[in-house]
Amino acid sequence: MQTILRIAVCIFALAAGDVALANDYRFSGIERVVAMSDPHGDHAAMLRTLGNAGIVDADGNWAGDDAYLVITGDLLDRGPDSRAIMDLVMRLESQAPESGGKVLLTLGNHEVMNLVGDLRYVSAGEYAAFAGEELAEDREQWFQALLSRRRVQTLGMVDEAELRAEFDRDRPAGFYAHRRAFSSQGTYGRWLLEKPLMVVVNDTAYVHGGMPPMVAEQSLEALNDQLRDDINQYVGAMETLFAAAIVDPAVNFYDQADVAEGLAAGAASDPSTEPAVRKAIETVVALNDSPVHGPDSPLWYRGTVGCSVLAEGDVLAASLAAVGASRVVIGHTPTVTRGVLERFDGRVIEIDTGMFSAAYRGSGFALILEQGSVAVAQEDSPELTAPIPHPRRVGDRSASLSAEALEALMREGEVTSMTEDAAGRTLVEVGRDGVSVTAVFAEGSRRKGRNPEIAAYRLDRMLNLELVPVTVEREVDGKAGTLQFMPDNARDETYRSRSGQGSSAWCPLPRQWNSMYVFDALIRNEKRLPASMVYSAGNWQIMSMGHENAFGTGRGRPAYLKSQVLELTSTWIEALDTLTEDALNEALGDVLSERQISAIGHRAGTLLEEAGARP
């Protein structure tokens, strides 16, 4: 055991950075760049896509000449052929330089998960790929360790056959060979631990998840070095604890800190504990919640996809400036259309198209940047296409329902039912051609030619706010009013606050609330009730509903916002500057009075003055 521990200490030193790792994060003058993301173990789909992008030949060998291939992570998990994909990428890495090309792999969250022991999404096929290399003594060693712990816990009352069955179920054939291969000295672990989290090629950044605020706080080099060092140190520390046989490799990442804290208590009273073990315990406790593992990590962040332009614009601009890029290419979040999308006037390109169709019902796509042009290669066709704009989606619904299609359905579809919910709202089911949606019906929304619900929806569209769901005028059961889309998984603020949910929101809730407050100040929404703050529970995107008390002609803030601090970013300031009298009259002249429209302009001016954007 002492020999094993000495070996582990050496491994820990290597993983902690005693050996120089590759640190090339920035490349320029590259004429052709091909990018893809998230193959998730679908080796066949990845090969077809790379073939149509001109990167590999029929045998899967490099055919890309001097192109750079950038893969923004998530080679692993879910699909059965992750190992074949890693072998493919490693082979292409060695072949590409022969013709002046290069392969750049940035870490995805699933690569890091496999390195640190978060194995929730490892499929049976992935373990099976390692079964032929598993050492019988490894399995037996860890079974005996488990048996010993259970005997202590149960005072010797253990059914060994039953425990063996549990062991084999939780650690399928190939499990320990898989863990060995992903160790710091294993074939795949050693390879992945050298990979960056972000690279910049020409003027484009490539990263797995997105561009969170933390990116703007440091340089490209510092970001990569700090977060990769956290991963390396953590992996090395866990290996020291495995080698000392005091932690089982099957302990999940999310339990490892608790286990380490328990070990720390014992080590404090045991002078014989090896110094290397003490240090490893401290490292696991300290780095289990490293920023690299959190929702604001560039590997996990979804705000670049999930926030509106107004909520995210300044974050994106600052992050791009910090790494010296003019746009970013990201994966991680499957696009709603399962094709390549672009946002923020092309400054964000989304390339996770759900390649592993069994899980995501998508197919392979590759982005091609060449001589200033942007094109898309597809798994199923040799023809190149172009990215399409990210669709406006306020509220979860079928991918086929664009905002325009949803408007048409709500105006023209058949009303099939009417019910009243707990908040006293009238819910209407509207359907056509086999597609059905739910909407809130507000009777008599138009009064004296004015309709605040339609005005709120149109003003939202003018600002690119993405806060007000699709709203249309509609007669229901002989009564004139409006229909406002309500997703099936809707939850209001009362539910959210009582349940404590929302921390997983794709767009951080404080930023979403700020957008709602600024909008309410702009439209002078006198009442903001919990029932009018509705969320799509899938991603906790907020929707502003019920604007019957908005668009008064007063110039100040509504009472509920008198003491609220409003953050007006430069993106908000630019949007408010577009609300000229002519623009407002053109968009809202048929649903608001002249005085109401004039008041919007005055309130926009006041907000700009408060932000110091106007004298």
Side-chain angles (χ1 to χ4, degrees):
M1 183 60 69
Q2 291 300 318
T3 300
I4 294 174
L5 183 54
R6 283 196 295 273
I7 293 172
V9 172
C10 292
I11 291 173
F12 187 16
L14 291 173
D18 287 352
V19 172
L21 301 175
N23 62 354
D24 289 334
Y25 309 137
R26 200 179 299 274
F27 308 85
S28 60
I30 312 305
E31 294 187 1
R32 188 172 194 261
V33 181
V34 176
M36 66 159 39
S37 187
D38 295 79
H40 278 298
D42 197 332
H43 180 255
M46 184 175 181
L47 274 178
R48 288 191 294 268
T49 307
L50 289 175
N52 284 337
I55 291 295
V56 300
D57 60 21
D59 296 321
N61 292 310
W62 182 263
D65 296 327
D66 61 353
Y68 273 41
L69 170 64
V70 185
I71 306 171
T72 61
D74 278 12
L75 308 178
L76 311 173
D77 288 349
R78 301 191 189 277
D81 295 324
S82 297
R83 185 174 191 179
I85 286 180
M86 289 189 291
D87 290 341
L88 168 64
V89 176
M90 294 172 81
R91 183 174 74 248
L92 295 178
E93 273 187 340
S94 67
Q95 294 174 345
E98 297 175 6
S99 55
K102 194 173 186 67
V103 175
L104 298 171
L105 170 67
T106 64
L107 293 175
N109 59 305
H110 282 268
E111 278 75 39
V112 174
M113 289 164 72
N114 274 263
L115 289 168
V116 302
D118 183 352
L119 308 176
R120 291 171 292 165
Y121 301 105
V122 179
S123 69
E126 291 176 290
Y127 287 132
F130 293 90
E133 301 161 30
E134 186 156 80
L135 302 176
E137 54 264 36
D138 276 357
R139 294 190 67 83
E140 189 59 28
Q141 171 196 344
W142 289 110
F143 174 73
Q144 292 300 327
L146 176 65
L147 179 61
S148 296
R149 288 196 301 275
R150 288 292 177 87
R151 282 174 171 161
V152 170
Q153 293 165 356
T154 63
L155 302 179
M157 303 295 291
V158 179
D159 184 321
E160 188 168 337
E162 185 177 300
L163 184 64
R164 177 79 70 173
E166 175 190 325
F167 179 88
D168 290 339
R169 183 185 67 247
D170 294 341
R171 302 160 177 81
F175 175 88
Y176 287 103
H178 177 278
R179 301 315 303 137
R180 186 184 294 273
F182 280 90
S183 72
S184 63
Q185 295 303 292
T187 300
Y188 304 112
R190 183 173 61 248
W191 176 62
L192 291 173
L193 285 167
E194 293 185 354
K195 299 304 176 188
L197 284 76
M198 184 187 301
V199 295
V200 174
V201 183
N202 298 330
D203 65 341
T204 304
Y206 296 84
V207 67
H208 181 65
M211 300 291 273
M214 70 177 297
V215 174
E217 297 170 359
Q218 51 199 316
S219 67
L220 175 66
E221 291 72 22
L223 177 81
N224 275 309
D225 291 347
Q226 174 198 328
L227 296 184
R228 189 169 60 180
D229 186 58
D230 282 359
I231 298 167
N232 275 262
Q233 287 199 51
Y234 191 88
V235 169
M238 287 303 303
E239 288 174 359
T240 297
L241 302 183
F242 298 154
I246 55 177
V247 177
D248 191 320
V251 173
N252 186 275
F253 170 76
Y254 292 100
D255 296 324
Q256 288 169 3
D258 289 341
V259 170
E261 287 176 353
L263 292 172
S269 59
D270 183 358
S272 68
T273 302
E274 293 281 347
V277 171
R278 292 179 185 275
K279 181 180 179 182
I281 291 170
E282 293 170 0
T283 299
V284 170
V285 172
L287 293 182
N288 187 264
D289 65 348
S290 161
V292 74
H293 305 301
D296 290 331
S297 161
L299 303 184
W300 290 90
Y301 185 67
R302 297 191 195 271
T304 311
V305 170
C307 289
S308 73
V309 171
L310 294 182
E312 188 71 10
D314 281 51
V315 173
L316 176 66
S319 296
L320 288 174
V323 300
S326 63
R327 67 183 165 194
V328 63
V329 173
I330 61 176
H332 188 50
T333 305
T335 62
V336 66
T337 64
R338 296 303 189 265
V340 175
L341 302 179
E342 58 183 15
R343 303 191 73 200
F344 295 93
D345 297 321
R347 288 180 293 153
V348 172
I349 303 179
E350 307 165 50
I351 62 170
D352 180 0
T353 58
M355 187 183 302
F356 180 40
S357 59
Y360 298 109
R361 300 182 181 179
S363 60
F365 284 76
L367 180 72
I368 302 174
L369 303 178
E370 186 172 16
Q371 297 178 346
S373 67
V374 181
V376 176
Q378 305 175 51
E379 172 190 345
D380 302 324
S381 170
E383 295 184 13
L384 299 182
T385 59
I388 63 173
H390 185 106
R392 181 187 192 276
R393 295 189 66 80
V394 181
D396 286 348
R397 57 184 184 271
S398 167
S400 64
L401 276 179
S402 65
E404 293 70 27
L406 182 55
E407 284 186 22
L409 172 60
M410 290 167 58
R411 284 197 194 98
E412 303 161 11
E414 178 185 0
V415 174
T416 58
S417 70
M418 292 179 65
T419 58
E420 186 173 296
D421 69 3
R425 295 174 294 207
T426 300
L427 301 183
V428 175
E429 293 290 325
V430 184
R432 184 174 65 177
D433 300 328
V435 178
S436 180
V437 298
T438 302
V440 177
F441 176 64
E443 181 183 349
S445 300
R446 179 179 284 274
R447 296 184 179 89
K448 297 181 181 180
R450 302 163 194 173
N451 192 324
E453 297 295 355
I454 297 296
Y457 177 56
R458 291 187 191 171
L459 187 56
D460 175 290
R461 299 295 295 263
M462 288 180 70
L463 293 167
N464 205 10
L465 178 59
E466 299 183 39
L467 183 66
V468 180
V470 166
T471 308
V472 301
E473 292 190 271
R474 175 72 190 263
E475 185 177 287
V476 175
D477 199 22
K479 301 171 183 176
T482 59
L483 287 180
Q484 193 164 62
F485 174 64
M486 173 78 84
D488 290 338
N489 63 350
R491 301 288 186 271
D492 67 16
E493 174 59 18
T494 297
Y495 173 91
R496 189 210 63 79
S497 59
R498 287 177 178 173
S499 66
Q501 297 186 56
S503 60
S504 61
W506 287 12
C507 184
L509 289 180
R511 270 195 267 153
Q512 295 194 67
W513 292 332
N514 180 71
S515 290
M516 180 187 68
Y517 296 147
V518 176
F519 187 60
D520 278 354
L522 180 65
I523 66 176
R524 196 176 171 84
N525 189 11
E526 298 290 354
K527 290 184 180 180
R528 174 57 67 183
L529 302 175
S532 65
M533 296 171 61
V534 177
Y535 301 86
S536 286
N539 58 12
W540 292 100
Q541 176 195 33
I542 194 171
M543 293 172 288
S544 175
M545 305 186 72
H547 304 96
E548 64 273 10
N549 295 301
F551 297 102
T553 56
R555 297 189 179 185
R557 293 187 188 184
Y560 98 94
L561 289 176
K562 290 294 185 183
S563 60
Q564 179 67 44
V565 176
L566 303 182
E567 182 182 357
L568 258 70
T569 62
S570 60
T571 310
W572 256 111
I573 289 169
E574 290 173 10
L576 291 173
D577 257 335
T578 67
L579 300 183
T580 63
E581 184 177 350
D582 288 344
L584 288 168
N585 276 312
E586 181 178 353
L588 308 175
D590 62 327
V591 291
L592 293 180
S593 69
E594 290 184 8
R595 287 186 63 202
Q596 287 175 310
I597 291 173
S598 177
I600 295 173
H602 281 293
R603 289 191 292 266
T606 299
L607 288 169
L608 291 170
E609 290 171 11
E610 292 175 356
R614 283 187 186 174

